[in-house]
Amino acid sequence: MNEETLKRLADLKARQDAGEHMPCPRCGKNTMKPDVYTNALSRQADVMICECGMEEAMLAFINCPLPLAGWACFHTENHNR
Ligand SMILES: [Zn+2]
């Protein structure tokens, strides 16, 4: 995980800690529950994600996790540049 990724994750976490409602950082869908801490904690990063946490767990189980670089939050921000 590079420094840029860590910075973005820290930023996401800070915004979630502040109670900001945002699309799921992992899948990018607007499926996060309003109370951020009732969502799932990602296994790959210290941020909350939606029900796709189930999918993340399955992929980890078959030893084929989606890399953080594949997370929607990183894609969207790249598009905006
Ligand atoms: Zn999700």
Side-chain angles (χ1 to χ4, degrees):
M1 204 182 288
N2 64 29
E3 206 169 309
E4 179 68 22
T5 306
L6 287 171
K7 256 193 266 172
R8 292 219 191 148
L9 288 172
D11 178 58
L12 279 172
K13 182 170 165 51
R15 283 157 59 198
Q16 289 185 340
D17 280 348
E20 182 181 325
H21 190 65
M22 60 176 75
C24 170
R26 185 174 180 275
C27 66
K29 294 181 197 151
N30 201 13
T31 40
M32 296 287 280
K33 294 179 200 156
D35 182 358
V36 74
Y37 287 108
T38 58
N39 292 286
L41 179 64
S42 169
R43 296 165 169 238
Q44 288 171 270
D46 188 21
V47 292
M48 304 305 287
I49 56 176
C50 77
E51 311 241 313
C52 72
M54 290 288 291
E55 182 190 302
E56 184 185 64
M58 282 303 297
L59 290 174
F61 183 72
I62 61 172
N63 214 10
C64 184
L66 176 71
L68 279 173
W71 281 31
C73 62
F74 297 113
H75 283 279
T76 324
E77 294 189 20
N78 287 341
H79 278 289
N80 288 345
R81 277 188 192 165

